Amino acid sequence: GKLAIYTAQKRLLNLTTRVGAAAGDDRREHERVADFAEHSKSGSRGLLLLFDKAKAGDLAVSDVLLRDLAEFLDRHLPGTGPAAFSLACPEEKFQIRDLEVSDDLAELKAGQKAVTVGRVTFQISFIEPKAKEEKPKPLKTHEFVLCNAGIYDNERIKAMPWAEYKPFVMKLFGVRDAPHPVHGFTADGYIGADSAYVWNYPDQKNLRLDEEYVQSLHEMLGGRAGERFYVIAPVVAMGFMTDEIRLGETRYTFLKVPVSVLQRLLESGEPGALKQPASENDVNAVIDAVGFDFVSQPLVTVEARAERPKEEGLFNRDQRDLVLRLKEFRARTLATDPEDFPNFATLSMVLVDLDFQGGDFFSLGKVFWAEDLVAEELKRRKKDVPGEFEKRAEACERLELRIPQAECGKRIMAIFVDRYGNEKKLEFRREEFRCR
């Protein structure tokens, strides 16, 4: 499962000198008195116990306190003979200045100190402070890699002829073959109404498609690429983790070709080898052909906002929630179209890195389950929709992911996962969350 994978990755990235959860000292005061049981056997008539909450200035075992207590006990204890009374307190609260203090353990039946006032001998034991929790220290993570299984002939893949590669990936991602100019740059076709460009991987096999490349592409297009511009390239050529980068008014969306797909193309020996089913029995042939690691990005429409959180019906003026308002989520796989299911019905979960540091790793910080998001939205709208998840999801106009601003760094990354395991990775910078 994706949650298990990202949880294991988070643990590897956040190793410390402590194994397991911190074991806090939850002993009560009487449990931190070494001879507590002995006081009941020492002939003591009772016990006065000062709690840790008695801070400096609140209460202290002083000369005045013991004299007042001895006078009180003298009036209420029968007879006139000597009597013992127990007392337990933190050692710093023991502040006797004038009275005589004995610490002759041979004479004491219980307690670490003894103070006699009149006929009352106070047997005093100290409460040990709670054991201080040792703060864990971070460990440097050894190098590791998160990978999909497969044995691939990388040299053959890099030497793949462009004439075979280009038509294959265009068919794989449903690109309509219609070359057209965009400010002097030639796009290879359209996905829907948006331009798409197939990165010439065989001729640029030693280059990586990084953020600098995308910036150069944006400048070459003169900012006229429209609302969305698709770039198709092998996953091994990508130099960043996110699936989209926004520059100006254009959102550059990256469609990643797994190595297993290219390997399958080489093994088939057929140009553009992505045969469509000829009968109902062959409907899964495309999926079987390209392997399990093909990621078909779901359709995601999301808006970043900053809002005041509501607490008991009142706005907290000093705090902000970073809100990802999900307006549309639909799985888009090789076997299904987005319109095959109601909106949100194919959402599984959203994984969030609360302090994304860039690069090519993701540290899981928070999980939003689709069931919980739908339940929260129906509660907000005061709607009771019985039945299966798909029906309840269809009744939602939007879903909201709320994160207290104080928990977030300058950037966060959200991975939207559909119920087939496909992902859409989106990065959000703090300045994108405009106040509402």
Side-chain angles (χ1 to χ4, degrees):
K2 290 300 177 77
L3 181 60
I5 290 170
Y6 284 117
T7 299
Q9 177 170 284
K10 175 188 177 181
R11 289 171 178 167
L12 288 170
L13 291 168
N14 293 278
L15 290 172
T16 68
T17 51
R18 175 189 292 144
V19 178
D25 189 348
D26 56 358
R27 294 177 300 162
R28 299 297 302 273
E29 283 84 354
H30 70 278
E31 295 174 310
R32 288 183 276 122
V33 175
D35 58 352
F36 186 81
E38 295 302 314
H39 284 275
S40 64
K41 304 174 185 177
S42 66
S44 174
R45 304 298 181 91
L47 179 138
L48 175 65
L49 178 66
L50 300 188
F51 295 117
D52 292 334
K53 293 179 180 178
K55 297 183 173 61
D58 289 350
L59 188 63
V61 180
S62 64
D63 300 80
V64 174
L65 176 69
L66 292 190
R67 288 192 177 105
D68 288 348
L69 187 55
E71 183 181 340
F72 171 81
L73 293 171
D74 187 54
R75 288 201 308 269
H76 292 279
L77 290 175
T80 58
F85 193 85
S86 297
L87 193 149
C89 67
E91 188 169 4
E92 67 271 13
K93 306 298 289 185
F94 186 70
Q95 299 173 11
I96 300 300
R97 301 288 183 264
D98 301 326
L99 294 171
E100 184 178 348
V101 179
S102 172
D103 56 4
D104 186 350
L105 299 181
E107 296 181 3
L108 297 174
K109 294 182 179 179
Q112 295 157 283
K113 305 283 184 183
V115 177
T116 300
V117 182
R119 70 185 181 107
V120 180
T121 297
F122 292 101
Q123 301 173 154
I124 301 165
S125 293
F126 295 134
I127 301 170
E128 298 174 3
K130 285 191 174 184
K132 290 185 177 180
E133 180 183 327
E134 182 181 349
K135 292 184 178 180
K137 299 177 181 178
L139 294 174
K140 184 178 180 180
T141 307
H142 288 285
E143 291 185 2
F144 68 93
V145 62
L146 175 61
C147 59
N148 290 321
I151 302 174
Y152 311 122
D153 189 341
N154 287 328
E155 293 306 314
R156 285 187 64 199
I157 289 171
K158 289 182 178 180
M160 184 182 299
W162 177 248
E164 295 181 14
Y165 171 82
K166 183 178 179 180
F168 175 75
V169 297
M170 289 181 69
K171 186 179 291 186
L172 184 67
F173 289 105
V175 179
R176 178 160 48 91
D177 191 358
H180 59 280
V182 180
H183 195 250
F185 178 87
T186 302
D188 294 298
Y190 294 93
I191 296 179
D194 301 310
S195 298
Y197 166 61
V198 182
W199 197 55
N200 193 334
Y201 171 59
D203 286 351
Q204 304 179 72
K205 60 179 70 73
N206 295 321
L207 299 178
R208 283 175 68 80
L209 200 159
D210 55 19
E211 294 187 19
E212 290 183 9
Y213 173 87
V214 181
Q215 182 66 47
S216 298
L217 177 62
H218 180 67
E219 292 172 1
M220 191 180 302
L221 294 170
R224 303 178 187 177
E227 292 183 6
R228 189 180 299 274
F229 189 91
Y230 289 95
V231 179
I232 303 171
V235 66
V236 293
M238 294 287 183
F240 44 77
M241 188 177 184
T242 185
D243 291 322
E244 290 189 357
I245 292 180
R246 182 164 189 162
L247 295 175
E249 299 300 320
T250 303
R251 193 175 290 276
Y252 293 89
T253 301
F254 309 99
L255 305 179
K256 302 171 184 178
V257 186
V259 180
S260 63
V261 173
L262 304 180
Q263 181 76 14
R264 181 69 181 182
L265 172 59
L266 284 171
E267 292 171 354
S268 69
E270 299 180 35
L274 187 62
K275 296 180 179 179
Q276 296 303 309
S279 67
E280 184 177 353
N281 293 332
D282 297 331
V283 72
N284 290 322
V286 172
I287 298 174
D288 295 338
V290 300
F292 70 90
D293 62 343
F294 179 79
V295 176
S296 184
Q297 296 175 12
L299 179 63
V300 178
T301 304
V302 62
E303 178 186 62
R305 307 163 62 92
E307 297 179 352
R308 292 193 179 103
K310 285 186 177 181
E311 296 178 0
E312 299 181 358
L314 298 175
F315 283 109
N316 187 325
R317 296 181 178 277
D318 299 325
Q319 302 296 325
R320 290 286 187 277
D321 280 346
L322 300 187
V323 180
L324 292 177
R325 179 170 289 178
L326 190 58
K327 296 182 177 180
E328 186 176 21
F329 182 93
R330 299 177 188 271
R332 178 167 46 192
T333 72
L334 292 173
T336 65
D337 291 321
E339 293 75 21
D340 290 344
F341 299 98
N343 195 18
F344 306 128
T346 49
L347 178 63
S348 171
M349 70 187 89
V350 184
L351 311 171
V352 181
D353 183 341
L354 300 173
D355 189 17
F356 182 58
Q357 297 298 314
D360 56 358
F361 71 85
F362 173 91
S363 184
L364 176 62
K366 207 173 189 68
V367 181
F368 293 89
W369 295 99
E371 286 273 5
D372 297 337
L373 293 173
V374 167
E376 188 64 30
E377 174 61 13
L378 293 177
K379 178 182 177 181
R380 185 188 70 83
R381 299 181 61 196
K382 298 180 180 179
K383 293 186 67 173
D384 182 17
V385 182
E388 298 296 325
F389 171 74
E390 187 172 305
K391 185 177 180 181
R392 288 184 287 112
E394 188 176 11
C396 296
E397 296 179 358
R398 70 190 193 202
L399 301 179
E400 286 190 349
L401 290 70
R402 286 183 169 268
I403 309 170
Q405 181 174 291
E407 297 180 10
C408 302
K410 293 181 179 180
R411 293 188 293 175
I412 68 172
M413 173 171 277
I415 301 180
F416 299 83
V417 186
D418 70 19
R419 67 189 190 188
Y420 307 107
N422 295 304
E423 303 175 349
K424 180 82 166 186
K425 301 182 179 74
L426 297 177
E427 179 185 335
F428 300 89
R429 297 178 183 271
R430 181 72 73 91
E431 55 267 25
E432 293 183 52
F433 292 87
R434 298 186 178 91
C435 289
R436 297 295 192 275

